[in-house]
Amino acid sequence: DIQMTQSPSSLSASVGDRVTITCQASQDISNYLNWYQQKPGKAPKLLIYDASNLEKGAPSRFSGSGSGTDFTFTISSLQPEDIATYYCQQYDFLPLTFGGGTKVEIK
Amino acid sequence: EVQLVESGGGLVQPGGSLRLSCSASGFTFSSYAMHWVRQAPGKGLEYVSAIGNSGRSTYYADSVKGRFTISRDNSNNTLYLQLSSLRAEDTAVYYCVKVSRQHLPYDAFDIWGQGTMVTVSS
């Protein structure tokens, strides 16, 4: 199985800060990488697909980059409503696999 | 509005069975592959199963292979997951999810249901 290693597992930042989360795949997955946001008690929501494409309706402060094995998710200016857990997911190989998640909190 | 609504969760004893349903609306159900993803309490997301848009092809994670069965009824816009030989470690919220692009079996999950809780306990 492809292992998706996300870091950090949690972070605390101030409103307006730039936040960066990384995701490393155990082997080359090209750009078959998606990012989801999950707020407490809610279903996940797709934010970024194919590594760098912003899902329709997602705020432009969210962005993604990378290919191969190393990927980055960025919130350009953290907002209070961004408090959530973020997951990366690869869909190049079966089984589809998710990263362990990054919990983002406000400092 | 594109929507997925799961039902069928509940409390079941170890070794028992349950059938989850996912009612889809707002899109051409028969054109999209569908998947199930689960989340144990306080844990991350775990991929469970997939079914192609026609229902002919299916896939199961090793952790559920031989115990769970995915199916769909395109005439009634409904996805199913039959859970059998349930174990404590199957306790989770089960999400029904839709892929983003038509006729692709594996893709980003753009629509998620609200989830249905399955608790396996004696």
Side-chain angles (χ1 to χ4, degrees):
Chain A
D1 297 3
I2 305 293
Q3 304 302 316
M4 305 300 293
T5 303
Q6 254 184 267
S7 62
S9 56
S10 65
L11 66 88
S12 181
S14 299
V15 172
D17 281 356
R18 184 180 184 88
V19 169
T20 298
I21 299 168
T22 64
C23 183
Q24 185 170 60
S26 59
Q27 63 187 80
D28 190 332
I29 58 168
S30 184
N31 69 331
Y32 295 104
L33 189 285
N34 306 310
W35 291 95
Y36 300 88
Q37 175 194 63
Q38 185 178 32
K39 296 184 177 181
K42 300 293 187 182
K45 176 183 173 184
L46 177 65
L47 293 180
I48 301 289
Y49 65 95
D50 294 347
S52 60
N53 295 290
L54 187 68
E55 174 69 354
K56 187 177 179 181
S60 58
R61 63 181 179 275
F62 297 115
S63 65
S65 64
S67 66
T69 60
D70 295 302
F71 301 86
T72 300
F73 172 81
T74 300
I75 307 173
S76 60
S77 177
L78 186 66
Q79 300 301 304
E81 60 266 32
D82 300 336
I83 299 314
T85 300
Y86 294 83
Y87 294 93
C88 62
Q89 176 223 7
Q90 67 82 21
Y91 70 101
D92 195 18
F93 294 93
L94 293 174
L96 308 191
T97 46
F98 292 88
T102 297
K103 187 174 183 179
V104 174
E105 298 176 321
I106 297 286
K107 192 181 294 183
Chain B
E1 180 193 6
V2 178
Q3 197 172 11
L4 299 171
V5 179
E6 300 99 333
S7 60
L11 174 64
V12 61
Q13 293 188 338
S17 298
L18 213 54
R19 188 175 83 158
L20 308 183
S21 299
C22 171
S23 178
S25 59
F27 64 102
T28 306
F29 182 70
S30 60
S31 294
Y32 293 86
M34 298 293 295
H35 300 244
W36 290 94
V37 173
R38 69 183 180 182
Q39 186 170 36
K43 302 296 185 182
L45 301 169
E46 181 188 12
Y47 183 69
V48 174
S49 183
I51 188 166
N53 64 293
S54 68
R56 283 194 295 266
S57 61
T58 59
Y59 175 83
Y60 300 93
D62 284 347
S63 58
V64 307
K65 197 176 297 181
R67 300 187 300 120
F68 290 9
T69 303
I70 191 171
S71 62
R72 64 191 296 161
D73 180 349
N74 284 345
S75 62
N76 286 306
N77 296 339
T78 304
L79 175 71
Y80 300 101
L81 187 67
Q82 178 71 43
L83 288 62
S84 303
S85 303
L86 282 162
R87 308 166 179 166
E89 54 265 35
D90 296 318
T91 294
V93 174
Y94 285 73
Y95 294 104
C96 159
V97 296
K98 167 190 168 290
V99 299
S100 181
R101 288 170 281 205
Q102 294 187 49
H103 306 296
L104 288 184
Y106 303 101
D107 195 7
F109 296 151
D110 67 338
I111 302 294
W112 295 63
Q114 86 285 356
T116 187
M117 182 72 203
V118 173
T119 303
V120 184
S121 175
S122 54

